[in-house]
Amino acid sequence: MKLIPSLPTRVHWLTSIGLVLLLAPVASAQPGGDSPSLAYRAAMAKAVRTAAQQVLPSIVTIEIIGASGQKTGEVEQDAPTSGVIVDKDGYILASSIVVRRPAASMLVILPDGSRHAAKVISKDQHRDLVLLKIDAKTELAPLDLPSEVTMTVGQTTVAVGRYGGGSSPMVSRGVLSATGRLDGIAIQTDARVAPSFYGGPLIDLYGNVLGILIPAVSKGGAEDSTSWYDSGIAFAIPSNVIVAKLDRLKMGEDIRKGLIGIVSKSRDPYQDETTIAAVRVRSPAEAAGILAGDEVLEVAGRPVRRQLDIRQALGSFDAGEKVRLKLRRDGNPIDVEVTLAETIPPLQPQRLGIIVREESGENEDGPNQVIVDAVLPSSPASDLFKTGDVVTKLGKANVTDTETLRRLALSAAPDATVALTIQRDGADQTIEVTPQSIAGVIPSDVPSSWKNNDDDEQAKWVTQKIQLPDSANDAAFLAPKTGSEDQSQQQLGLMIMLLNPGQDSPADVLEKWSASARQAGVVICAIAPEDAKRWLPKEMEIVAKFATAVLKKAAIDPAAVSITTPGALEGGKAGAADSMALAVAVSQSSTFFGVAVSAETRPPAMRLSENSPSAALQLLIPIKADDELPGWAAAVEKAGYPIVRGGEIQELILLQWTRLLQAI
Amino acid sequence: MRFAATIAIAMIVSWNAKAEPPLAEWAREGQQRVVKIYGAGGLAGLEAYQSGILVSPDGHVATSWSYVLDVEPIVLLDDGRRFESTIVGFEPALELAVLKIDATDLPYFPIEEKIEAQWGDPILAISNLFNIATGKEPASVMQGTIAAVSDLDARRGTFKTPYRGKVMILDLIANNPGAAGGAVIDSEGRLIGMLGKELRDSATGVWLNYSIPAKELRGTIGDIIAGRTTSAPPPAEAMLPRDQSHDPKTLGLVMLPDVLETTPAYIDEVVPDSAAAKADLRPDDLILLVGGKRVDGQRTLRKLLRMIDRRDDVELTIQRDTEILPLVLRP
């Protein structure tokens, strides 16, 4: 190895330096170039400070004293954060993080270091903002919140807050990443927003306030709304929106997201389909006269093509606000005005008691037909419907597919008679029927066509191992041999059974289910956790993927899919699998329609979303009477999930309930 | 001829340096003054490496005082040379250790006395984060700004750092594994700070990106290099023995029964003729601060009182309804 380079190399090097020297002044004159010059950086630093200085007199620190209650996530729930003075009377705007846990006291530290007790005046729960008030004797410097803001994606943004014991000014610079985020309520920046910044302003380089920073993540994006701190994605509520809401907040009015109460026909929010399958009972949509079967064309002047477009267009409206919808009904466009509500009475899912199938009509290109396949014994439908009836209407809404009929029935008003139009023997007929609540005692019988008592060895079901490419879970499923043509083996159910950590292998567990599974016509897939000690949150999605994979292995009705645990059975004990099954069922609600767990299940730490008729879930627990309900049941019922009382649940009962999930 | 060429290059480089060089120049110079340090660790998620800064031409390396230094560490220079080092001094209260390697004429950072870094200033952070550079590969350069200059109130896991001075919070994800001991330089290429260990802010619970200002370290580094015994100031928050410190009883306070993890510091009763009674404390007053420090519950109250000598006055800030009152309790 040569330690001293030879002369030619050095000469070459010298020339390069000369070149660099020539280029250097050019580089510093171009701030946007590859290497921002020192002058540019110094100028930027000065600009950031000058802009921040304009808002700093209005930025306060908010301190929480003596917080109690359960903590969630990594960020301390009583972390000191920022807030802004919004007027001379002592109103302070902060983010919702300051009211996450009950606290003995909340203090506002003004820029002069003085502390003042604050009281909560109102909350904008739709935008994660809280309005506080202090009685300050000193002159306050309110923030200038512009009622009109112009912003361009890519422009420089500066998050400003205060940090630490001395309330030192703190800044983070970034750009505006996007507008209209979180269903239209927020702007997005890549400035590194640590929790101390929440409640502080996001400004431009001239010191104009663009918005107020809030803790937020996308829907289902992370466990906690603070999880995305410092990660280059942060949200702020635009200044003009705050100005528009401020008077309401000052009057002590809480603001909530506006709900409408329409149930879409399509389960896939991205599909080109905006037809309304059902209208929720006592919802704003019902009050405005919106009908099942109406097609949504525009929301607040914005044309919509998909369910997702509707959600996004409605996303920024609050409860109490009016929104205009353009609909198509019977081929004619109509306009309706809906006053959105903050709550809709929880769903009380209803059932008629029929099993249907969907077939193409007489005209191949025309609409499909919904045909009654079986009628549940001792159900409201039992003496009224016959196999072969074609359901054409429920109330005024046309029925041409199973899902629409299901949603209409599920969201029917409890104890109210509905009229169904059917075709029987080539003639139209109207049947008046009062649906039954799904909540209550478990149905005791199944349609006679499902009963399978032959002992044909050939038709015996087999257990096979199943693996997914991206998981290490041990799993097996019990299903008919492929190629089975038996008519009783159609519209089967699928039961996903989660095993407790450290239990027998899935294949061994399925051994004893073999006879009952075939008798009930329910495919069973048993899954063990990847870790021998616990179920992990990341496995929730994997469990749903197993269900999707097994659905393809037999003629299973996609609405007859349940998730269960050994704890749901008679003599079973609650374990990790029970909490996991609840978590999977709620988070993967488009896959699972029933969940059966022990009554002693420890509820998982997750937010319970409202049960929706487009993916309705029912809960089966082995109790006889309502007074045996677990403590968490009230919250579950309030969110619209029907609780089915199973009594002492035998294997066959659990399986039959699974297959019956497809009943309408 | 060869010599002449070398001198010419040196002159050009130094002249260039004075005439506002592009950022790249400072970056390269900084890299040459940052070393990679390998020592103890490697188990249970503790990395066996960190970074260091050359602070003398004779091989003194300032770095972060940590478990990596539990064995005599190996130091790798920017040019790839490898040295065994000895620890010549350390100051846990500053999270600082100084190592010495047997080398001379090294490029180094002088630690200047008068450098004022303020929030918003642009900086470069140079460290061997994630041990990405090995052998003679240079350390990694990151750019960012100073988000805030503030007091530190931090912890690592359950272990709080003893350092209680000013820190520079960085607007940059800088404090990664291996970055501790790295250099933070300003736009004039001067060393303004040393990257700290991975730490969580005890108030907010979030991971901090921070650096300890060079001027806080200057005196101690000088003392260690000069061989003077460093006299560390006693940690400001030392607990006193129970019979020498204050507690609610010595002040005449009866607190609400402490049943929760963070029972708020509400006063239940005030003992007549006590210090608390003389200061007109009343039942239902909520203690917010002791000596300016936040009281998030009764445990914190007792802990803060343990740090105050029984003969000393106690400054309290309390809330009575909506009023915030500062009070002094004289024993």
Side-chain angles (χ1 to χ4, degrees):
Chain A
M1 184 178 134
K2 253 192 228 170
L3 283 175
I4 301 167
S6 61
L7 193 57
T9 324
R10 287 197 172 216
V11 171
H12 178 68
W13 195 29
L14 191 59
T15 342
S16 320
I17 287 172
L19 214 60
V20 168
L21 273 174
L22 286 173
L23 288 174
V26 184
S28 41
Q30 283 183 333
D34 283 346
S35 163
S37 74
L38 293 171
Y40 170 74
R41 282 162 59 92
M44 180 58 96
K46 201 175 159 206
V48 166
R49 270 196 295 266
T50 310
Q53 293 289 13
Q54 292 185 47
V55 293
L56 274 164
S58 312
I59 303 182
V60 301
T61 301
I62 295 171
E63 216 172 42
I64 310 294
I65 306 276
S68 57
Q70 204 188 353
K71 294 182 186 185
T72 52
E74 179 180 352
V75 174
E76 293 291 326
Q77 305 291 295
D78 52 351
T81 58
S82 299
V84 292
I85 301 166
V86 290
D87 75 7
K88 284 190 188 299
D89 299 333
Y91 285 103
I92 311 264
L93 201 59
S95 83
S96 63
I97 194 167
V98 302
V99 290
R100 274 232 203 147
R101 298 205 291 160
S105 177
M106 189 185 295
L107 299 180
V108 166
I109 307 175
L110 293 178
D112 64 10
S114 62
R115 283 180 162 81
H116 305 266
K119 57 176 190 242
V120 176
I121 300 297
S122 53
K123 300 172 190 174
D124 183 343
Q125 295 177 336
H126 190 184
R127 296 177 188 80
D128 279 309
L129 293 171
V130 173
L131 189 70
L132 311 175
K133 188 160 188 306
I134 59 168
D135 289 318
K137 279 142 197 106
T138 49
E139 181 87 348
L140 298 173
L143 187 70
D144 182 19
L145 281 167
S147 51
E148 263 180 71
V149 268
T150 45
M151 45 189 141
T152 323
V153 170
Q155 78 172 74
T156 298
T157 56
V158 183
V160 194
R162 291 186 182 274
Y163 176 82
S167 291
S168 313
M170 178 155 77
V171 289
S172 177
R173 177 166 59 92
V175 295
L176 187 70
S177 309
T179 58
R181 283 286 197 254
L182 307 176
D183 285 344
I185 65 158
I187 56 175
Q188 183 190 328
T189 178
D190 74 339
R192 281 147 299 277
V193 171
S196 307
F197 282 110
Y198 295 147
L202 184 72
I203 62 172
D204 68 12
L205 270 185
Y206 305 98
N208 299 313
V209 178
L210 303 175
I212 299 296
L213 295 156
I214 54 161
V217 298
S218 70
K219 209 176 177 181
E223 301 229 333
D224 192 85
S225 65
T226 56
S227 298
W228 288 356
Y229 80 83
D230 269 1
S231 46
I233 174 162
F235 303 97
I237 301 300
S239 167
N240 56 332
V241 177
I242 293 171
V243 170
K245 311 286 173 194
L246 207 51
D247 284 341
R248 277 182 73 186
L249 289 171
K250 280 184 189 172
M251 287 191 294
E253 250 182 88
D254 283 356
I255 295 176
R256 291 191 180 81
K257 184 179 167 64
L259 304 177
I260 184 163
I262 56 175
V263 181
S264 68
K265 181 174 176 179
S266 161
R267 190 179 294 174
D268 174 3
Y270 301 96
Q271 197 187 334
D272 279 3
E273 171 70 82
T274 60
T275 307
I276 295 167
V279 173
R280 294 283 297 272
V281 176
R282 287 185 283 142
S283 70
E286 188 190 70
I290 296 177
L291 299 177
D294 288 351
E295 188 186 346
V296 186
L297 304 176
E298 279 179 20
V299 175
R302 273 168 68 175
V304 291
R305 286 180 56 191
R306 304 168 193 90
Q307 190 194 323
L308 190 73
D309 299 345
I310 301 176
R311 197 183 90 192
Q312 286 172 339
L314 285 173
S316 56
F317 287 90
D318 298 334
E321 287 186 326
K322 290 183 169 64
V323 55
R324 290 198 80 79
L325 266 66
K326 191 187 277 295
L327 308 169
R328 181 152 48 211
R329 182 180 299 165
D330 305 325
N332 306 313
I334 54 166
D335 278 320
V336 291
E337 190 178 67
V338 189
T339 306
L340 302 179
E342 62 179 60
T343 53
I344 291 173
L347 190 66
Q348 288 175 276
Q350 306 292 309
R351 178 142 81 188
L352 304 169
I354 52 174
I355 309 288
V356 299
R357 68 173 193 274
E358 193 179 319
E359 272 183 9
S360 57
E362 284 150 29
N363 178 359
E364 282 284 324
D365 300 326
N368 284 357
Q369 284 188 329
V370 177
I371 303 165
V372 176
D373 234 8
V375 182
L376 256 65
S378 55
S379 73
S382 59
D383 295 326
L384 302 168
F385 288 83
K386 284 184 182 168
T387 304
D389 287 351
V390 179
V391 180
T392 56
K393 272 185 163 186
L394 191 154
K396 286 180 188 161
N398 290 322
V399 172
T400 55
D401 64 298
T402 315
E403 282 313 304
T404 300
L405 179 60
R406 184 188 308 282
R407 284 159 209 207
L408 283 167
L410 276 168
S411 44
D415 307 319
T417 303
V418 291
L420 279 94
T421 310
I422 61 158
Q423 283 173 0
R424 185 183 291 170
D425 309 324
D428 276 355
Q429 223 178 309
T430 303
I431 296 183
E432 302 258 325
V433 55
T434 310
Q436 193 178 33
S437 282
I438 289 176
V441 182
I442 191 168
S444 55
D445 214 348
V446 294
S448 51
S449 59
W450 283 3
K451 289 180 183 154
N452 177 1
N453 292 315
D454 71 82
D455 301 320
D456 185 359
E457 270 300 307
Q458 292 295 312
K460 214 177 157 196
W461 287 21
V462 288
T463 300
Q464 295 169 58
K465 287 229 171 204
I466 180 167
Q467 266 202 318
L468 291 185
D470 44 5
S471 89
N473 297 69
D474 188 9
F477 72 102
L478 175 65
K481 281 180 189 162
T482 43
S484 169
E485 297 287 310
D486 189 347
Q487 196 52 45
S488 72
Q489 306 287 294
Q490 300 296 315
Q491 292 183 306
L492 299 177
L494 168 62
M495 182 171 94
I496 299 289
M497 174 165 275
L498 298 189
L499 303 183
N500 280 307
Q503 263 194 341
D504 297 341
S505 84
D508 292 346
V509 170
L510 290 179
E511 200 83 344
K512 63 165 185 163
W513 286 84
S514 176
S516 49
R518 178 161 166 265
Q519 194 187 336
V522 175
V523 175
I524 308 177
C525 174
I527 309 171
E530 190 180 318
D531 187 293
K533 292 205 178 72
R534 61 187 69 83
W535 279 97
L536 299 170
K538 64 165 186 165
E539 287 173 283
M540 295 200 286
E541 219 169 299
I542 292 170
V543 171
K545 282 186 185 164
F546 271 108
T548 314
V550 179
L551 271 173
K552 294 177 192 145
K553 308 274 184 187
I556 298 165
D557 189 297
V561 182
S562 71
I563 180 158
T564 67
T565 66
L569 290 167
E570 194 200 347
K573 284 203 170 61
D578 294 82
S579 307
M580 181 68 178
L582 267 189
V584 174
V586 172
S587 68
Q588 309 292 322
S589 61
S590 58
T591 306
F592 298 100
F593 296 86
V595 53
V597 290
S598 159
E600 274 84 49
T601 304
R602 275 184 52 154
M606 64 188 294
R607 192 174 292 177
L608 191 60
S609 49
E610 284 246 350
N611 201 14
S612 140
S614 51
L617 178 73
Q618 50 177 286
L619 173 65
L620 171 65
I621 39 183
I623 54 165
K624 285 202 188 79
D626 277 345
D627 56 11
E628 298 170 55
L629 282 171
W632 43 264
V636 170
E637 281 180 316
K638 212 178 152 207
Y641 296 92
I643 297 181
V644 179
R645 300 192 303 264
E648 286 165 359
I649 302 179
Q650 312 293 332
E651 290 175 5
L652 193 61
I653 295 176
L654 188 60
L655 292 166
Q656 286 174 341
W657 165 79
T658 297
R659 196 171 176 187
L660 277 177
L661 291 172
Q662 65 185 288
I664 289 173
Chain B
M1 175 63 202
R2 251 179 219 170
F3 275 127
T6 316
I7 289 162
I9 289 164
M11 283 179 67
I12 288 168
V13 168
S14 64
W15 178 77
N16 185 17
K18 287 203 175 67
E20 204 181 77
L23 209 56
E25 193 96 5
W26 294 138
R28 182 68 201 115
E29 289 199 357
Q31 283 177 323
Q32 289 163 340
R33 288 156 176 77
V34 169
V35 302
K36 311 164 196 89
I37 297 174
Y38 297 89
L43 290 170
L46 297 175
E47 294 75 24
Y49 52 87
Q50 61 185 37
S51 307
I53 308 164
L54 285 164
V55 289
S56 86
D58 306 319
H60 288 97
V61 176
T63 185
S64 193
W65 173 243
S66 78
Y67 62 85
V68 175
L69 310 181
D70 286 353
V71 297
E72 301 271 86
I74 301 293
V75 170
L76 245 70
L77 297 185
D78 178 69
D79 60 15
R81 282 187 290 162
R82 181 177 181 279
F83 292 91
E84 286 176 2
S85 71
T86 49
I87 299 168
V88 293
F90 57 88
E91 181 43 75
L94 292 174
E95 300 246 300
L96 170 77
V98 177
L99 315 180
K100 172 84 171 72
I101 59 171
D102 196 8
T104 50
D105 291 335
L106 297 172
Y108 72 101
F109 279 116
I111 305 180
E112 293 169 39
E113 195 174 357
K114 277 195 204 159
I115 302 179
E116 281 306 323
Q118 61 170 322
W119 59 275
D121 280 348
I123 51 111
L124 291 182
I126 306 174
S127 74
N128 189 20
L129 69 164
F130 292 107
N131 193 25
I132 186 71
T134 53
K136 66 172 188 177
E137 288 175 335
S140 304
V141 180
M142 300 167 88
Q143 66 99 24
T145 54
I146 299 172
V149 180
S150 171
D151 291 325
L152 182 70
D153 181 15
R155 63 184 169 189
R156 164 156 194 167
T158 51
F159 303 107
K160 290 193 171 187
T161 170
Y163 182 72
R164 280 295 179 277
K166 289 268 181 214
V167 290
M168 299 183 288
I169 306 289
L170 303 181
D171 184 12
L172 152 77
I173 308 300
N175 296 66
N176 287 300
V184 175
I185 61 178
D186 69 6
S187 359
E188 288 172 55
R190 299 174 304 189
L191 183 75
I192 55 165
M194 182 171 85
L195 290 174
K197 290 188 259 199
E198 288 176 89
L199 277 178
R200 300 179 81 155
D201 182 297
S202 67
T204 60
V206 307
W207 292 96
L208 278 179
N209 294 291
Y210 72 103
S211 115
I212 297 179
K215 64 177 181 185
E216 305 270 339
L217 305 174
R218 186 173 177 277
T220 310
I221 292 176
D223 286 348
I224 293 175
I225 292 177
R228 290 188 289 268
T229 26
T230 67
S231 56
E237 297 186 5
M239 293 263 193
L240 296 169
R242 275 179 209 286
D243 57 352
Q244 291 173 25
S245 71
H246 273 298
D247 59 50
K249 243 186 213 161
T250 61
L251 299 168
L253 292 172
V254 179
M255 306 302 295
L256 207 68
D258 186 7
V259 286
L260 302 170
E261 193 186 337
T262 52
T263 307
Y266 278 112
I267 296 170
D268 207 18
E269 262 178 71
V270 177
V271 178
D273 300 324
S274 63
K278 279 180 228 155
D280 192 26
L281 275 169
R282 301 174 196 174
D284 290 339
D285 285 351
L286 175 66
I287 301 179
L288 302 173
L289 308 169
V290 172
K293 296 203 172 65
R294 182 165 71 125
V295 178
D296 57 6
Q298 295 198 13
R299 274 176 216 187
T300 318
L301 172 71
R302 287 195 298 271
K303 207 178 91 189
L304 290 171
L305 291 178
R306 276 286 300 279
M307 293 164 187
I308 304 172
D309 192 294
R310 204 168 268 199
R311 294 161 294 186
D312 290 346
D313 292 352
V314 178
E315 282 176 35
L316 293 183
T317 302
I318 60 137
Q319 182 176 350
R320 183 175 296 156
D321 296 325
T322 60
E323 250 183 312
I324 310 280
L325 303 169
L327 300 170
V328 180
L329 274 61
R330 301 181 205 282

